[in-house]
């Protein structure tokens, strides 16, 4: 299973358009506000489809959605290259947003339950960390190839290679295993291993990732799409551990995930030429890859450790994006941004592991999709704010301002952690997470 997962993750992000599509939009005379509106449309599509597609993944086949999604993206990228305009860019983002919604929740649920089927659910953080690293390796490969491809064949060659990568991704998805047993719980035998500590999440709920008991839900396939949706929403609302883990995901993921889309413009503003931009972006993605690979080693970190990581990442981002002529030179600034992205990626994997360990019912993809929808809603706010701030200031200043939510989230987690000790063990006896990788 892991070989197919890593291949899927690599190819899914080995898309040459990724590091240069913001430049393509700018070269098509789109303003920063128009570019931001495309990102908003992208996120809105994901928001509308996120939870329904998660329930569909619980009711039918998760592998089917993982196969269909890349083909939608391939169609969108082909439109961008063949008929570049604001409206074709918009249609492409709608298709891309649908692909993201199809995969979000379905992939995490499939991987967790396959590992549970193999009595290896406690290795989820390590496996997904490596899958994220494979994704970032795909990003870096695409980034390294994008500059030469752009110089050799322009956006046409870059687009053709991107479509081919999407088709290959769909082919690999057909090889992913899928066992849908009767148990929908958080681990082998329906129990939830404390994959990343047992302290409070950002919402203050104690025992996120701890053994929190609950019933072993049956498979959701018999209840159909509506039954899967209702079961997932009910678990997210009614289980304090799930709710806290769910809220942690957008708090960690949304801002840096949105800022990633503007990194090419940040690097260009700092003085890099268009052909050099992908190479500078490699520095950032090396940092993020290291963060993914560290996830398995530090999966037992608690809320205090996560708060420290977020605060440090926010400060590094604020310092590193002072890339104006009067700020840090490009190499030093990008090194700090890479350090920030390392911590952001690490905490993203750990937050996902907390959520998967907390889910007990049969609608795992639906619950994960609820976290994805919350992330997308937050991301839309970031895009809209960025589109307003950047024209008034600069990309560097705007990046630095967006470090503030991470520092505030870290402070909130510290405060919640100090106030959560009175909860004690979560419903049932808490277990130590001593299972080795």
């Amino acid at each position: 299973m892991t070989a197919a997962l890593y291949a899927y993750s690599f190819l899914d992000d080995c898309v040459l358009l990724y590091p240069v599509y913001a430049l393509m939009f700018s070269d098509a005379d789109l303003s920063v506000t128009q570019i931001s509106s495309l990102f908003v449309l992208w996120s809105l599509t994901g928001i509308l489809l996120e939870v329904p597609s998660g329930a569909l993944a619980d009711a039918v086949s998760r592998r089917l959605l993982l196969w269909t999604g890349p083909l939608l993206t391939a169609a969108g990228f082909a439109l961008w290259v063949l008929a570049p305009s604001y409206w074709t860019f918009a249609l492409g983002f709608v298709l891309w947003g649908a692909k993201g919604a199809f995969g979000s929740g379905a992939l995490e649920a499939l991987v967790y339950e396959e590992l549970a089927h193999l009595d290896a659910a406690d290795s989820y953080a390590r496996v997904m960390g490596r899958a994220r690293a494979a994704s970032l390796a795909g990003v870096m490969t695409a980034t390294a190839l994008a500059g030469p491809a752009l110089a050799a064949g322009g956006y046409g060659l870059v687009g053709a290679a991107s479509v081919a990568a999407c088709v290959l991704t769909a082919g690999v998805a057909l090889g992913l295993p899928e066992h849908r047993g009767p148990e929908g719980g958080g681990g082998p035998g329906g129990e939830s291993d404390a994959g990343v500590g047992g302290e409070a999440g950002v919402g203050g709920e104690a025992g996120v990732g701890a053994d929190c008991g609950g019933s072993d839900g049956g498979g959701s396939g018999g209840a159909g799409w509506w039954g899967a949706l209702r079961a997932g929403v009910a678990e997210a609302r009614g289980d304090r551990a799930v709710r806290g883990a769910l809220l942690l995901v957008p708090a960690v993921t949304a801002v840096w995930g949105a800022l990633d889309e503007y990194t090419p413009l940040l690097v260009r503003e700092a003085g890099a030429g268009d052909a050099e931009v992908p190479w500078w972006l490699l520095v950032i993605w090396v940092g993020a890859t290291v963060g993914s690979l560290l996830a398995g080693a530090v999966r037992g970190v608690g809320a205090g450790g996560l708060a420290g990581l977020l605060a440090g990442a926010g400060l590094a981002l604020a310092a590193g994006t002072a890339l104006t002529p009067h700020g840090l030179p490009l190499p030093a600034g990008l090194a700090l941004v890479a350090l920030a992205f390392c911590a952001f990626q690490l905490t993203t994997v750990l937050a996902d592991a907390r959520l998967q360990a907390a889910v007990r019912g049969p609608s795992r993809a639906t619950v994960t999709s609820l976290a994805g929808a919350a992330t997308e809603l937050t991301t839309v706010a970031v895009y809209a704010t960025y589109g307003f701030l950047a024209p008034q200031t600069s990309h560097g200043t705007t990046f630095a301002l967006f470090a503030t939510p991470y520092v505030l989230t870290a402070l909130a987690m510290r405060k919640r952690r100090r106030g959560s000790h009175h909860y004690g063990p979560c419903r049932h006896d808490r277990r130590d997470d001593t299972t080795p990788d």
Side-chain angles (χ1 to χ4, degrees):
M1 191 269 287
T2 54
L5 171 65
Y6 299 154
Y8 179 89
S9 299
F10 176 85
L11 290 170
D12 193 38
D13 278 317
C14 190
V15 176
L16 271 62
L17 272 172
Y18 285 177
V20 298
Y21 67 73
L23 305 180
M24 180 170 68
F25 300 157
S26 181
D27 291 342
D29 295 326
L30 270 64
S31 66
V32 173
T33 301
Q34 286 178 309
I35 294 173
S36 292
S37 72
L38 291 174
F39 294 156
V40 170
L41 177 62
W42 185 17
S43 291
L44 287 175
T45 303
I47 290 167
L48 291 174
L49 298 178
E50 182 85 33
V51 178
S53 66
L56 184 64
D58 283 324
V60 290
S61 169
R62 292 161 183 166
R63 183 171 54 200
L64 174 64
L65 271 65
L66 294 173
W67 170 76
T68 305
L71 298 180
L72 296 178
T73 313
F77 290 159
L79 284 172
W80 285 4
V81 174
L82 294 175
S85 70
Y86 178 83
W87 295 109
T88 53
F89 294 151
L91 179 56
F93 269 119
V94 169
L95 293 172
W96 194 356
K99 179 263 181 185
F102 282 10
S104 176
L107 180 63
E108 293 85 352
L110 184 147
V111 171
Y112 193 92
E113 292 188 356
E114 283 302 309
L115 291 172
H117 178 74
L118 299 171
D119 291 331
D122 60 325
S123 66
Y124 176 82
R126 174 171 54 84
V127 171
M128 286 305 292
R130 291 177 179 177
R132 299 286 176 88
S135 295
L136 294 172
V139 170
M140 290 188 290
T141 301
T143 301
L145 295 175
L150 187 62
Y155 292 120
L157 178 59
V158 171
S162 300
V163 170
C166 294
V167 173
L168 287 173
T169 304
V172 172
L174 292 174
L176 290 171
E178 184 174 16
H179 293 92
R180 302 294 293 276
E183 62 278 322
E191 293 183 351
S192 174
D193 288 341
V196 281
E199 300 178 35
V202 70
E205 285 73 12
V208 175
D211 180 13
C212 294
S215 61
D216 297 339
S220 60
W225 176 85
W226 181 245
L229 179 62
R230 291 183 62 187
V233 172
E235 183 170 11
R237 292 181 60 187
D239 190 308
R240 188 176 64 191
V242 173
R243 189 168 63 250
L246 190 154
L247 290 173
L248 183 62
V249 172
V252 167
T253 306
V255 174
W256 84 277
L259 292 180
D260 167 43
E261 307 303 329
Y262 298 98
T263 50
L265 301 177
L266 174 72
V267 174
R268 175 193 264 177
E269 179 184 76
D274 285 359
E276 299 172 339
V277 167
W279 295 104
W280 285 111
L281 294 180
L282 279 176
V283 177
I284 297 175
W285 290 112
V286 166
T289 302
V290 171
S292 291
L293 294 174
L294 288 173
V298 299
R299 63 190 177 90
V301 69
L306 284 176
L309 283 170
L310 288 177
L315 294 175
L317 181 67
T321 50
L323 290 170
T324 65
H326 305 292
L328 290 173
L330 186 60
L334 261 293
L336 285 172
V337 174
L339 179 62
F341 272 49
C342 174
F344 289 146
Q345 182 65 52
L346 173 58
T347 52
T348 294
V349 176
L350 295 179
D352 172 44
R354 280 178 173 250
L355 178 59
Q356 298 305 322
V359 173
R360 305 302 309 282
S363 296
R364 180 176 301 277
T366 304
V367 175
T368 308
S369 292
L370 287 168
T375 300
E376 291 292 350
L377 281 168
T378 309
T379 299
V380 167
V382 175
Y383 288 148
T385 305
Y386 196 104
F388 172 77
L389 289 176
Q392 316 299 323
T393 56
S394 67
H395 292 289
T397 300
T398 306
F399 265 69
L401 289 172
F402 274 113
T404 306
Y406 284 108
V407 177
L408 295 177
T409 298
L411 292 174
M413 290 180 70
R414 285 284 190 179
K415 182 178 179 181
R416 295 285 189 177
R417 178 172 175 262
R418 286 196 296 268
S420 68
H421 293 303
H422 70 277
Y423 284 120
C426 179
R427 288 195 292 275
H428 296 288
D429 292 336
R430 189 189 299 263
R431 286 180 299 170
D432 292 330
D433 181 28
T434 56
T435 305
D437 287 341

